[in-house]
Amino acid sequence: MSTGTNNRVKIAPSILAADFARLGEQVDAVRNADWLHLDVMDGNFVPSISFGPGVIKALRARTSLFFDAHLMVEEPGRFIGAFVDAGADLITVHAEACKHLHRTLQQIRDAGVKAGVAVNPATSLEAVRHVLHLVDLVLVMTVNPGFGGQRFLSETLVKVKEARELAESTGRNFDVQVDGGVGPENAAICARAGASVLVAGTAIFAAADPARVIEEMRASAQATN
């Protein structure tokens, strides 16, 4: 699987915004992306319900893209094995959803995949400071999770910058990901703040040419480096 490189910003289309009636075709249309972002929602941690391991397993046979599974699920430790078996390459869990965050992240790593931790807009990075040695990615939510198509919260850029500074000051080479309301119009400011992975759903899948939007975002983000 291609994970992209550390010296360029990675684009991760979120299939939450795709047309599920032709999901395979939609994934084919973003083959020039770096990652595929898989938003799993349980109707408990967030109001919406999206999809589970079965959909991920079906897509795994369709593409070689790096699978970035974002679990918006209460106590996700119960399901790590199922998502690993389905083909996830990286599993991100929410600090707010884990009673024992350290244990859950260790469980992901022990399963042989990369681990990420996400924080909602109102959650301080202090909530994850003591588990940074276990993560390959910190996801700064730039909207409140649960629905696609929301407006980007510009105030979260301060936290993106803080996350990048944490990565550098601690010597941890983790990615900083942003998710929510991201598109060509703000790709550059996200990258400038320190984001290395940009998740975009509606901006990509609602476009007539998703592949072109990916290239626009990549070029805009890379121009800041």
Side-chain angles (χ1 to χ4, degrees), residues 132 162-176:
L132 292 179
E162 290 174 356
R164 174 53 57 204
E165 290 172 349
L166 267 176
E168 294 174 355
S169 66
T170 60
R172 306 290 179 186
N173 190 30
F174 56 76
D175 275 305
V176 177

Side-chain angles (χ1 to χ4, degrees), residues 53-164:
V55 169
I56 295 174
K57 185 175 183 178
L59 292 176
R60 181 73 286 170
R62 182 94 183 199
T63 179
S64 62
L65 285 173
F66 183 85
F67 273 16
D68 166 28
H70 175 196
L71 305 191
M72 287 171 271
V73 173
E74 285 287 355
E75 292 301 332
R78 298 172 292 163
F79 309 110
I80 300 306
F83 285 100
V84 171
D85 291 344
D89 296 298
L90 180 150
I91 296 175
T92 296
V93 297
H94 273 259
E96 305 89 351
C98 298
K99 186 179 295 184
H100 302 290
L101 179 59
H102 186 287
R103 179 190 299 165
T104 303
L105 292 170
Q106 188 64 63
Q107 183 182 351
I108 295 169
R109 297 183 71 85
D110 288 347
V113 300
K114 294 180 181 294
V117 64
V119 289
N120 287 340
T123 301
S124 168
L125 288 174
E126 285 301 315
V128 302
R129 180 183 290 273
H130 297 294
V131 296
L132 292 179
H133 62 292
L134 293 173
V135 305
D136 301 284
L137 176 145
V138 171
L139 167 52
V140 176
M141 291 299 300
T142 46
V143 299
N144 288 293
F147 303 97
Q150 297 185 66
R151 180 182 62 84
F152 180 83
L153 299 176
S154 58
E155 58 267 32
T156 59
L157 287 170
V158 173
K159 196 187 299 183
V160 175
K161 183 178 180 182
E162 290 174 356
R164 174 53 57 204

Side-chain angles (χ1 to χ4, degrees), residues 16-34:
L16 187 65
D19 180 352
F20 274 54
R22 52 190 191 96
L23 191 52
E25 296 171 31
Q26 294 269 270
V27 169
D28 291 345
V30 297
R31 63 170 62 92
N32 63 323
D34 300 286

